Amino acid sequence: QVQLVESGGGLVQAGGSLRLSCVVSGSIFSIKAMGWYRQAPGKQRELVAGITGVGSTNYADSVKGRFTISRATAKNTVYLQMNSLKAEDTAVYYCNAGVVTTRHRDVDYWGQGTQVTVSS
């Protein structure tokens, strides 16, 4: 089994910063791409930022220049540094990882989500 555990969410004022972390553990052979998604009430889940196994990144237009995704490969951890937060960034943020398990299966895993609330 593989588990993703997110942390770092919370309540912050507009203009503030938060750093999300996601640790992947369990029957891992390797981790391919990792990413952060978010879902606001009444909206579909959307990609916020992604990072490949070799460190290439991509971002939603709405967060470019404000958010930074990074990963610590040795720690099986992905981070999302969020600066200049806006009220519209309020959502549940989910971590996603493409994992090759110890049984050599490619499986997409999701974390349980962490709430980010930005007050205006």
Short mmCIF file of all heavy atoms in Angstrom, two decimals, residues 49-120:
data_model
loop_
_atom_site.label_atom_id
_atom_site.label_comp_id
_atom_site.label_asym_id
_atom_site.label_seq_id
_atom_site.Cartn_x
_atom_site.Cartn_y
_atom_site.Cartn_z
N ALA A 49 -0.18 22.79 -9.91
CA ALA A 49 1.22 22.72 -10.31
C ALA A 49 1.65 21.27 -10.39
O ALA A 49 1.15 20.44 -9.63
CB ALA A 49 2.11 23.48 -9.33
N GLY A 50 2.57 20.98 -11.30
CA GLY A 50 3.09 19.64 -11.44
C GLY A 50 4.59 19.66 -11.59
O GLY A 50 5.17 20.66 -12.01
N ILE A 51 5.22 18.54 -11.22
CA ILE A 51 6.66 18.42 -11.35
C ILE A 51 6.98 16.99 -11.78
O ILE A 51 6.47 16.03 -11.21
CB ILE A 51 7.39 18.82 -10.04
CG1 ILE A 51 8.91 18.80 -10.24
CG2 ILE A 51 6.96 17.95 -8.86
CD1 ILE A 51 9.65 19.51 -9.11
N THR A 52 7.82 16.85 -12.80
CA THR A 52 8.16 15.52 -13.31
C THR A 52 9.29 14.90 -12.50
O THR A 52 9.86 15.53 -11.60
CB THR A 52 8.59 15.61 -14.77
OG1 THR A 52 9.85 16.29 -14.84
CG2 THR A 52 7.56 16.35 -15.62
N GLY A 53 9.62 13.69 -12.85
CA GLY A 53 10.70 12.99 -12.17
C GLY A 53 12.06 13.63 -12.36
O GLY A 53 12.97 13.44 -11.54
N VAL A 54 12.19 14.42 -13.42
CA VAL A 54 13.47 15.09 -13.67
C VAL A 54 13.41 16.57 -13.32
O VAL A 54 14.33 17.32 -13.61
CB VAL A 54 13.93 14.92 -15.14
CG1 VAL A 54 14.22 13.46 -15.42
CG2 VAL A 54 12.90 15.49 -16.11
N GLY A 55 12.32 16.99 -12.69
CA GLY A 55 12.24 18.34 -12.16
C GLY A 55 11.60 19.38 -13.04
O GLY A 55 11.58 20.57 -12.67
N SER A 56 11.06 19.00 -14.18
CA SER A 56 10.34 19.97 -15.00
C SER A 56 9.02 20.32 -14.33
O SER A 56 8.34 19.44 -13.80
CB SER A 56 10.08 19.40 -16.40
OG SER A 56 11.30 19.13 -17.05
N THR A 57 8.68 21.59 -14.39
CA THR A 57 7.48 22.05 -13.70
C THR A 57 6.49 22.71 -14.66
O THR A 57 6.86 23.19 -15.72
CB THR A 57 7.83 23.06 -12.59
OG1 THR A 57 8.50 24.19 -13.20
CG2 THR A 57 8.75 22.44 -11.55
N ASN A 58 5.24 22.70 -14.25
CA ASN A 58 4.21 23.45 -14.97
C ASN A 58 3.21 23.97 -13.97
O ASN A 58 3.03 23.37 -12.90
CB ASN A 58 3.53 22.58 -16.03
CG ASN A 58 2.77 21.41 -15.46
OD1 ASN A 58 3.37 20.49 -14.94
ND2 ASN A 58 1.44 21.46 -15.54
N TYR A 59 2.58 25.08 -14.31
CA TYR A 59 1.68 25.77 -13.39
C TYR A 59 0.40 26.20 -14.09
O TYR A 59 0.41 26.53 -15.28
CB TYR A 59 2.36 27.02 -12.81
CG TYR A 59 3.58 26.74 -11.99
CD1 TYR A 59 4.84 26.71 -12.55
CD2 TYR A 59 3.47 26.51 -10.61
CE1 TYR A 59 5.97 26.46 -11.79
CE2 TYR A 59 4.58 26.25 -9.85
CZ TYR A 59 5.83 26.22 -10.44
OH TYR A 59 6.94 25.96 -9.67
N ALA A 60 -0.67 26.27 -13.32
CA ALA A 60 -1.88 26.92 -13.81
C ALA A 60 -1.58 28.40 -13.99
O ALA A 60 -0.81 28.99 -13.22
CB ALA A 60 -3.02 26.73 -12.81
N ASP A 61 -2.19 29.00 -15.00
CA ASP A 61 -1.94 30.42 -15.26
C ASP A 61 -2.25 31.28 -14.05
O ASP A 61 -1.59 32.29 -13.79
CB ASP A 61 -2.78 30.88 -16.45
CG ASP A 61 -2.26 30.36 -17.78
OD1 ASP A 61 -1.08 29.91 -17.82
OD2 ASP A 61 -3.02 30.37 -18.76
N SER A 62 -3.26 30.87 -13.30
CA SER A 62 -3.72 31.68 -12.17
C SER A 62 -2.72 31.75 -11.02
O SER A 62 -2.84 32.61 -10.15
CB SER A 62 -5.05 31.14 -11.65
OG SER A 62 -4.91 29.79 -11.23
N VAL A 63 -1.74 30.84 -11.00
CA VAL A 63 -0.79 30.83 -9.88
C VAL A 63 0.65 31.11 -10.31
O VAL A 63 1.53 31.19 -9.47
CB VAL A 63 -0.84 29.48 -9.12
CG1 VAL A 63 -2.27 29.15 -8.69
CG2 VAL A 63 -0.24 28.35 -9.93
N LYS A 64 0.87 31.26 -11.61
CA LYS A 64 2.22 31.52 -12.09
C LYS A 64 2.78 32.78 -11.46
O LYS A 64 2.12 33.80 -11.38
CB LYS A 64 2.22 31.66 -13.62
CG LYS A 64 2.14 30.34 -14.36
CD LYS A 64 2.14 30.56 -15.86
CE LYS A 64 2.02 29.23 -16.60
NZ LYS A 64 1.93 29.41 -18.07
N GLY A 65 4.03 32.68 -11.01
CA GLY A 65 4.69 33.80 -10.37
C GLY A 65 4.40 33.92 -8.88
O GLY A 65 5.04 34.71 -8.19
N ARG A 66 3.43 33.17 -8.39
CA ARG A 66 3.09 33.22 -6.96
C ARG A 66 3.38 31.90 -6.25
O ARG A 66 3.75 31.90 -5.08
CB ARG A 66 1.61 33.58 -6.78
CG ARG A 66 1.21 34.90 -7.37
CD ARG A 66 -0.22 35.28 -7.00
NE ARG A 66 -1.21 34.33 -7.52
CZ ARG A 66 -2.07 33.65 -6.76
NH1 ARG A 66 -2.06 33.81 -5.45
NH2 ARG A 66 -2.94 32.83 -7.31
N PHE A 67 3.18 30.79 -6.94
CA PHE A 67 3.37 29.46 -6.34
C PHE A 67 4.61 28.80 -6.93
O PHE A 67 4.94 28.98 -8.10
CB PHE A 67 2.16 28.56 -6.63
CG PHE A 67 0.89 28.94 -5.93
CD1 PHE A 67 0.75 30.14 -5.25
CD2 PHE A 67 -0.20 28.09 -5.96
CE1 PHE A 67 -0.42 30.48 -4.61
CE2 PHE A 67 -1.39 28.41 -5.33
CZ PHE A 67 -1.50 29.61 -4.66
N THR A 68 5.26 28.00 -6.10
CA THR A 68 6.42 27.24 -6.55
C THR A 68 6.32 25.81 -6.06
O THR A 68 6.16 25.58 -4.86
CB THR A 68 7.73 27.86 -6.03
OG1 THR A 68 7.83 29.22 -6.45
CG2 THR A 68 8.94 27.08 -6.56
N ILE A 69 6.43 24.87 -7.00
CA ILE A 69 6.41 23.46 -6.63
C ILE A 69 7.85 22.94 -6.63
O ILE A 69 8.67 23.35 -7.47
CB ILE A 69 5.53 22.63 -7.59
CG1 ILE A 69 5.35 21.20 -7.07
CG2 ILE A 69 6.08 22.64 -9.01
CD1 ILE A 69 4.30 20.41 -7.84
N SER A 70 8.15 22.08 -5.68
CA SER A 70 9.48 21.47 -5.62
C SER A 70 9.34 20.09 -5.02
O SER A 70 8.30 19.76 -4.44
CB SER A 70 10.44 22.34 -4.80
OG SER A 70 9.98 22.48 -3.47
N ARG A 71 10.39 19.29 -5.15
CA ARG A 71 10.34 17.95 -4.57
C ARG A 71 11.69 17.59 -3.97
O ARG A 71 12.74 18.01 -4.47
CB ARG A 71 9.90 16.92 -5.60
CG ARG A 71 10.83 16.72 -6.76
CD ARG A 71 10.19 15.85 -7.86
NE ARG A 71 10.08 14.44 -7.48
CZ ARG A 71 9.47 13.52 -8.21
NH1 ARG A 71 8.87 13.86 -9.35
NH2 ARG A 71 9.42 12.25 -7.81
N ALA A 72 11.63 16.81 -2.92
CA ALA A 72 12.82 16.25 -2.30
C ALA A 72 12.76 14.75 -2.58
O ALA A 72 12.07 14.01 -1.87
CB ALA A 72 12.84 16.53 -0.81
N THR A 73 13.44 14.35 -3.61
CA THR A 73 13.32 12.98 -4.09
C THR A 73 13.70 11.95 -3.02
O THR A 73 13.01 10.95 -2.84
CB THR A 73 14.19 12.78 -5.34
OG1 THR A 73 13.79 13.73 -6.34
CG2 THR A 73 14.04 11.37 -5.89
N ALA A 74 14.76 12.22 -2.31
CA ALA A 74 15.23 11.27 -1.29
C ALA A 74 14.22 11.12 -0.16
O ALA A 74 14.21 10.10 0.54
CB ALA A 74 16.57 11.71 -0.75
N LYS A 75 13.38 12.12 0.02
CA LYS A 75 12.39 12.09 1.10
C LYS A 75 11.00 11.73 0.59
O LYS A 75 10.04 11.73 1.36
CB LYS A 75 12.33 13.45 1.80
CG LYS A 75 13.60 13.85 2.51
CD LYS A 75 13.44 15.21 3.19
CE LYS A 75 14.71 15.63 3.91
NZ LYS A 75 14.55 16.96 4.57
N ASN A 76 10.88 11.46 -0.72
CA ASN A 76 9.56 11.16 -1.31
C ASN A 76 8.54 12.23 -0.94
O ASN A 76 7.39 11.94 -0.59
CB ASN A 76 9.05 9.79 -0.85
CG ASN A 76 9.87 8.64 -1.40
OD1 ASN A 76 10.52 8.78 -2.44
ND2 ASN A 76 9.87 7.53 -0.71
N THR A 77 8.98 13.47 -1.04
CA THR A 77 8.15 14.60 -0.60
C THR A 77 8.05 15.64 -1.70
O THR A 77 9.03 15.92 -2.40
CB THR A 77 8.75 15.23 0.66
OG1 THR A 77 8.83 14.24 1.70
CG2 THR A 77 7.91 16.39 1.15
N VAL A 78 6.86 16.21 -1.81
CA VAL A 78 6.64 17.32 -2.74
C VAL A 78 6.10 18.50 -1.93
O VAL A 78 5.35 18.31 -0.96
CB VAL A 78 5.68 16.93 -3.88
CG1 VAL A 78 4.29 16.60 -3.37
CG2 VAL A 78 5.62 18.01 -4.94
N TYR A 79 6.52 19.69 -2.33
CA TYR A 79 6.12 20.91 -1.62
C TYR A 79 5.41 21.86 -2.57
O TYR A 79 5.61 21.82 -3.79
CB TYR A 79 7.36 21.63 -1.06
CG TYR A 79 8.23 20.79 -0.19
CD1 TYR A 79 9.37 20.15 -0.71
CD2 TYR A 79 7.94 20.60 1.16
CE1 TYR A 79 10.18 19.38 0.08
CE2 TYR A 79 8.75 19.82 1.97
CZ TYR A 79 9.88 19.21 1.42
OH TYR A 79 10.67 18.44 2.22
N LEU A 80 4.60 22.73 -1.99
CA LEU A 80 4.00 23.82 -2.75
C LEU A 80 4.13 25.08 -1.91
O LEU A 80 3.46 25.20 -0.88
CB LEU A 80 2.54 23.54 -3.09
CG LEU A 80 1.88 24.59 -3.99
CD1 LEU A 80 2.49 24.55 -5.39
CD2 LEU A 80 0.37 24.38 -4.07
N GLN A 81 5.02 25.96 -2.32
CA GLN A 81 5.16 27.25 -1.66
C GLN A 81 4.18 28.21 -2.30
O GLN A 81 4.24 28.44 -3.52
CB GLN A 81 6.59 27.76 -1.81
CG GLN A 81 6.82 29.12 -1.20
CD GLN A 81 6.68 29.12 0.31
OE1 GLN A 81 7.17 28.21 0.99
NE2 GLN A 81 6.01 30.14 0.86
N MET A 82 3.30 28.76 -1.50
CA MET A 82 2.25 29.65 -2.00
C MET A 82 2.45 31.04 -1.40
O MET A 82 2.35 31.20 -0.18
CB MET A 82 0.87 29.10 -1.64
CG MET A 82 0.64 27.68 -2.11
SD MET A 82 -1.04 27.09 -1.82
CE MET A 82 -1.06 27.03 -0.03
N ASN A 83 2.74 31.99 -2.25
CA ASN A 83 2.93 33.38 -1.83
C ASN A 83 1.85 34.27 -2.43
O ASN A 83 1.18 33.88 -3.37
CB ASN A 83 4.31 33.88 -2.26
CG ASN A 83 5.44 33.09 -1.66
OD1 ASN A 83 5.34 32.59 -0.53
ND2 ASN A 83 6.54 32.96 -2.39
N SER A 84 1.72 35.46 -1.87
CA SER A 84 0.75 36.43 -2.37
C SER A 84 -0.62 35.80 -2.55
O SER A 84 -1.27 35.95 -3.59
CB SER A 84 1.23 37.02 -3.71
OG SER A 84 2.50 37.62 -3.56
N LEU A 85 -1.05 35.11 -1.53
CA LEU A 85 -2.31 34.38 -1.62
C LEU A 85 -3.49 35.32 -1.78
O LEU A 85 -3.52 36.43 -1.23
CB LEU A 85 -2.49 33.49 -0.40
CG LEU A 85 -1.66 32.20 -0.44
CD1 LEU A 85 -1.49 31.62 0.96
CD2 LEU A 85 -2.30 31.19 -1.37
N LYS A 86 -4.47 34.83 -2.54
CA LYS A 86 -5.67 35.60 -2.81
C LYS A 86 -6.89 34.81 -2.31
O LYS A 86 -6.82 33.59 -2.15
CB LYS A 86 -5.83 35.83 -4.31
CG LYS A 86 -4.64 36.51 -4.97
CD LYS A 86 -4.84 36.60 -6.48
CE LYS A 86 -3.65 37.25 -7.16
NZ LYS A 86 -3.84 37.33 -8.64
N ALA A 87 -7.99 35.50 -2.13
CA ALA A 87 -9.20 34.83 -1.66
C ALA A 87 -9.61 33.71 -2.61
O ALA A 87 -10.10 32.66 -2.17
CB ALA A 87 -10.33 35.85 -1.53
N GLU A 88 -9.37 33.90 -3.89
CA GLU A 88 -9.75 32.88 -4.87
C GLU A 88 -8.86 31.64 -4.85
O GLU A 88 -9.12 30.67 -5.55
CB GLU A 88 -9.77 33.47 -6.29
CG GLU A 88 -8.52 34.22 -6.68
CD GLU A 88 -8.69 35.73 -6.48
OE1 GLU A 88 -9.24 36.15 -5.43
OE2 GLU A 88 -8.25 36.48 -7.37
N ASP A 89 -7.81 31.67 -4.04
CA ASP A 89 -6.99 30.46 -3.84
C ASP A 89 -7.60 29.53 -2.80
O ASP A 89 -7.11 28.42 -2.59
CB ASP A 89 -5.58 30.84 -3.40
CG ASP A 89 -4.81 31.60 -4.47
OD1 ASP A 89 -4.90 31.21 -5.65
OD2 ASP A 89 -4.12 32.58 -4.11
N THR A 90 -8.65 29.97 -2.15
CA THR A 90 -9.32 29.16 -1.13
C THR A 90 -9.86 27.88 -1.76
O THR A 90 -10.61 27.93 -2.74
CB THR A 90 -10.46 29.94 -0.47
OG1 THR A 90 -9.90 31.05 0.24
CG2 THR A 90 -11.24 29.06 0.48
N ALA A 91 -9.47 26.75 -1.21
CA ALA A 91 -9.87 25.46 -1.76
C ALA A 91 -9.29 24.35 -0.88
O ALA A 91 -8.47 24.62 0.00
CB ALA A 91 -9.36 25.29 -3.19
N VAL A 92 -9.71 23.13 -1.16
CA VAL A 92 -9.03 21.97 -0.62
C VAL A 92 -7.94 21.59 -1.62
O VAL A 92 -8.22 21.43 -2.81
CB VAL A 92 -9.99 20.79 -0.40
CG1 VAL A 92 -9.22 19.57 0.11
CG2 VAL A 92 -11.09 21.18 0.57
N TYR A 93 -6.73 21.47 -1.12
CA TYR A 93 -5.59 21.15 -1.96
C TYR A 93 -5.23 19.67 -1.80
O TYR A 93 -5.09 19.18 -0.68
CB TYR A 93 -4.40 22.03 -1.59
CG TYR A 93 -4.54 23.44 -2.12
CD1 TYR A 93 -5.49 24.31 -1.59
CD2 TYR A 93 -3.74 23.90 -3.16
CE1 TYR A 93 -5.65 25.60 -2.09
CE2 TYR A 93 -3.89 25.19 -3.66
CZ TYR A 93 -4.84 26.02 -3.12
OH TYR A 93 -4.98 27.30 -3.62
N TYR A 94 -5.07 19.00 -2.94
CA TYR A 94 -4.78 17.58 -2.95
C TYR A 94 -3.43 17.31 -3.59
O TYR A 94 -3.09 17.88 -4.64
CB TYR A 94 -5.85 16.82 -3.75
CG TYR A 94 -7.23 16.90 -3.18
CD1 TYR A 94 -8.12 17.90 -3.56
CD2 TYR A 94 -7.67 15.95 -2.25
CE1 TYR A 94 -9.39 17.97 -3.03
CE2 TYR A 94 -8.95 16.01 -1.73
CZ TYR A 94 -9.81 17.01 -2.12
OH TYR A 94 -11.07 17.07 -1.60
N CYS A 95 -2.70 16.42 -2.99
CA CYS A 95 -1.44 15.95 -3.54
C CYS A 95 -1.69 14.72 -4.42
O CYS A 95 -2.54 13.88 -4.09
CB CYS A 95 -0.51 15.59 -2.39
SG CYS A 95 1.05 14.84 -2.86
N ASN A 96 -0.97 14.63 -5.50
CA ASN A 96 -1.07 13.49 -6.41
C ASN A 96 0.32 12.99 -6.75
O ASN A 96 1.24 13.78 -6.92
CB ASN A 96 -1.79 13.92 -7.70
CG ASN A 96 -1.78 12.84 -8.75
OD1 ASN A 96 -0.93 12.81 -9.63
ND2 ASN A 96 -2.75 11.94 -8.68
N ALA A 97 0.46 11.67 -6.83
CA ALA A 97 1.76 11.09 -7.18
C ALA A 97 1.58 9.88 -8.09
O ALA A 97 0.73 9.03 -7.81
CB ALA A 97 2.53 10.70 -5.92
N GLY A 98 2.37 9.82 -9.12
CA GLY A 98 2.41 8.64 -9.98
C GLY A 98 3.48 7.70 -9.45
O GLY A 98 4.67 8.01 -9.53
N VAL A 99 3.05 6.59 -8.88
CA VAL A 99 3.97 5.71 -8.17
C VAL A 99 4.15 4.40 -8.91
O VAL A 99 3.16 3.81 -9.39
CB VAL A 99 3.44 5.42 -6.74
CG1 VAL A 99 4.34 4.41 -6.03
CG2 VAL A 99 3.35 6.71 -5.94
N VAL A 100 5.38 3.97 -9.02
CA VAL A 100 5.67 2.60 -9.43
C VAL A 100 5.85 1.81 -8.14
O VAL A 100 6.77 2.09 -7.36
CB VAL A 100 6.93 2.51 -10.31
CG1 VAL A 100 7.20 1.05 -10.70
CG2 VAL A 100 6.78 3.38 -11.55
N THR A 101 4.98 0.86 -7.90
CA THR A 101 5.02 0.14 -6.62
C THR A 101 6.12 -0.92 -6.64
O THR A 101 6.73 -1.20 -7.68
CB THR A 101 3.68 -0.54 -6.34
OG1 THR A 101 3.51 -1.62 -7.27
CG2 THR A 101 2.53 0.45 -6.47
N THR A 102 6.34 -1.52 -5.50
CA THR A 102 7.35 -2.57 -5.40
C THR A 102 6.95 -3.80 -6.20
O THR A 102 7.76 -4.68 -6.44
CB THR A 102 7.60 -2.95 -3.95
OG1 THR A 102 6.36 -3.23 -3.31
CG2 THR A 102 8.31 -1.82 -3.21
N ARG A 103 5.68 -3.86 -6.61
CA ARG A 103 5.23 -4.92 -7.50
C ARG A 103 5.26 -4.48 -8.95
O ARG A 103 4.66 -5.11 -9.83
CB ARG A 103 3.83 -5.38 -7.12
CG ARG A 103 3.76 -6.04 -5.76
CD ARG A 103 2.41 -6.66 -5.49
NE ARG A 103 2.38 -7.37 -4.21
CZ ARG A 103 1.35 -8.10 -3.80
NH1 ARG A 103 0.27 -8.22 -4.56
NH2 ARG A 103 1.41 -8.71 -2.63
N HIS A 104 5.91 -3.31 -9.18
CA HIS A 104 6.11 -2.77 -10.52
C HIS A 104 4.81 -2.47 -11.25
O HIS A 104 4.69 -2.69 -12.45
CB HIS A 104 7.03 -3.68 -11.35
CG HIS A 104 8.41 -3.76 -10.77
ND1 HIS A 104 9.37 -2.79 -10.96
CD2 HIS A 104 8.96 -4.69 -9.94
CE1 HIS A 104 10.46 -3.12 -10.30
NE2 HIS A 104 10.25 -4.26 -9.67
N ARG A 105 3.86 -1.95 -10.49
CA ARG A 105 2.62 -1.48 -11.06
C ARG A 105 2.64 0.04 -11.04
O ARG A 105 3.07 0.65 -10.07
CB ARG A 105 1.43 -1.98 -10.26
CG ARG A 105 1.22 -3.49 -10.32
CD ARG A 105 0.05 -3.87 -9.43
NE ARG A 105 -1.17 -3.18 -9.87
CZ ARG A 105 -2.21 -2.96 -9.08
NH1 ARG A 105 -2.19 -3.34 -7.83
NH2 ARG A 105 -3.30 -2.37 -9.56
N ASP A 106 2.13 0.66 -12.13
CA ASP A 106 2.00 2.11 -12.19
C ASP A 106 0.64 2.49 -11.64
O ASP A 106 -0.39 2.12 -12.21
CB ASP A 106 2.10 2.61 -13.63
CG ASP A 106 3.53 2.69 -14.11
OD1 ASP A 106 4.35 3.25 -13.37
OD2 ASP A 106 3.81 2.20 -15.20
N VAL A 107 0.63 3.22 -10.54
CA VAL A 107 -0.63 3.58 -9.90
C VAL A 107 -0.61 5.06 -9.56
O VAL A 107 0.40 5.59 -9.09
CB VAL A 107 -0.87 2.75 -8.62
CG1 VAL A 107 -2.24 3.09 -8.03
CG2 VAL A 107 -0.76 1.27 -8.90
N ASP A 108 -1.74 5.70 -9.77
CA ASP A 108 -1.93 7.11 -9.40
C ASP A 108 -2.53 7.17 -8.00
O ASP A 108 -3.58 6.58 -7.76
CB ASP A 108 -2.89 7.74 -10.40
CG ASP A 108 -2.44 9.11 -10.84
OD1 ASP A 108 -1.23 9.38 -10.81
OD2 ASP A 108 -3.32 9.92 -11.20
N TYR A 109 -1.88 7.90 -7.12
CA TYR A 109 -2.39 8.01 -5.75
C TYR A 109 -2.73 9.45 -5.40
O TYR A 109 -2.09 10.40 -5.91
CB TYR A 109 -1.35 7.48 -4.74
CG TYR A 109 -1.19 5.98 -4.76
CD1 TYR A 109 -0.19 5.38 -5.50
CD2 TYR A 109 -2.04 5.17 -4.01
CE1 TYR A 109 -0.03 4.00 -5.50
CE2 TYR A 109 -1.90 3.80 -4.01
CZ TYR A 109 -0.89 3.22 -4.77
OH TYR A 109 -0.75 1.86 -4.78
N TRP A 110 -3.68 9.59 -4.49
CA TRP A 110 -4.12 10.91 -4.02
C TRP A 110 -4.03 11.00 -2.51
O TRP A 110 -4.26 10.01 -1.81
CB TRP A 110 -5.57 11.16 -4.44
CG TRP A 110 -5.75 11.32 -5.90
CD1 TRP A 110 -5.97 10.34 -6.82
CD2 TRP A 110 -5.71 12.55 -6.64
NE1 TRP A 110 -6.08 10.88 -8.07
CE2 TRP A 110 -5.93 12.23 -8.00
CE3 TRP A 110 -5.52 13.89 -6.29
CZ2 TRP A 110 -5.95 13.20 -9.00
CZ3 TRP A 110 -5.54 14.85 -7.28
CH2 TRP A 110 -5.75 14.51 -8.62
N GLY A 111 -3.73 12.19 -2.03
CA GLY A 111 -3.80 12.45 -0.62
C GLY A 111 -5.23 12.74 -0.21
O GLY A 111 -6.14 12.81 -1.04
N GLN A 112 -5.41 12.96 1.11
CA GLN A 112 -6.75 13.16 1.64
C GLN A 112 -7.21 14.61 1.50
O GLN A 112 -8.39 14.91 1.68
CB GLN A 112 -6.80 12.74 3.11
CG GLN A 112 -6.24 13.76 4.10
CD GLN A 112 -4.73 13.84 4.09
OE1 GLN A 112 -4.04 13.07 3.41
NE2 GLN A 112 -4.18 14.79 4.85
N GLY A 113 -6.29 15.50 1.18
CA GLY A 113 -6.63 16.90 1.02
C GLY A 113 -6.34 17.72 2.26
O GLY A 113 -6.45 17.23 3.38
N THR A 114 -5.97 18.97 2.04
CA THR A 114 -5.75 19.90 3.14
C THR A 114 -6.40 21.23 2.77
O THR A 114 -6.28 21.71 1.64
CB THR A 114 -4.24 20.08 3.44
OG1 THR A 114 -4.07 20.90 4.58
CG2 THR A 114 -3.48 20.68 2.26
N GLN A 115 -7.12 21.79 3.73
CA GLN A 115 -7.89 23.01 3.47
C GLN A 115 -6.98 24.24 3.53
O GLN A 115 -6.21 24.41 4.48
CB GLN A 115 -9.00 23.17 4.50
CG GLN A 115 -9.82 24.45 4.36
CD GLN A 115 -10.70 24.46 3.13
OE1 GLN A 115 -11.38 23.49 2.84
NE2 GLN A 115 -10.69 25.57 2.40
N VAL A 116 -7.10 25.07 2.51
CA VAL A 116 -6.45 26.38 2.50
C VAL A 116 -7.55 27.44 2.40
O VAL A 116 -8.35 27.40 1.47
CB VAL A 116 -5.47 26.52 1.32
CG1 VAL A 116 -4.97 27.96 1.20
CG2 VAL A 116 -4.29 25.56 1.49
N THR A 117 -7.58 28.33 3.37
CA THR A 117 -8.57 29.39 3.39
C THR A 117 -7.86 30.73 3.44
O THR A 117 -7.05 30.97 4.34
CB THR A 117 -9.52 29.25 4.58
OG1 THR A 117 -10.15 27.96 4.54
CG2 THR A 117 -10.59 30.34 4.55
N VAL A 118 -8.16 31.59 2.49
CA VAL A 118 -7.54 32.91 2.42
C VAL A 118 -8.62 33.94 2.69
O VAL A 118 -9.61 34.02 1.94
CB VAL A 118 -6.88 33.15 1.06
CG1 VAL A 118 -6.17 34.50 1.05
CG2 VAL A 118 -5.92 32.03 0.72
N SER A 119 -8.44 34.70 3.74
CA SER A 119 -9.43 35.73 4.09
C SER A 119 -9.04 37.06 3.44
O SER A 119 -7.87 37.44 3.40
CB SER A 119 -9.50 35.88 5.60
OG SER A 119 -8.27 36.32 6.11
N SER A 120 -10.05 37.73 2.95
CA SER A 120 -9.78 39.01 2.26
C SER A 120 -9.98 40.20 3.18
O SER A 120 -10.40 40.04 4.31
CB SER A 120 -10.69 39.13 1.05
OG SER A 120 -12.04 39.01 1.45
#
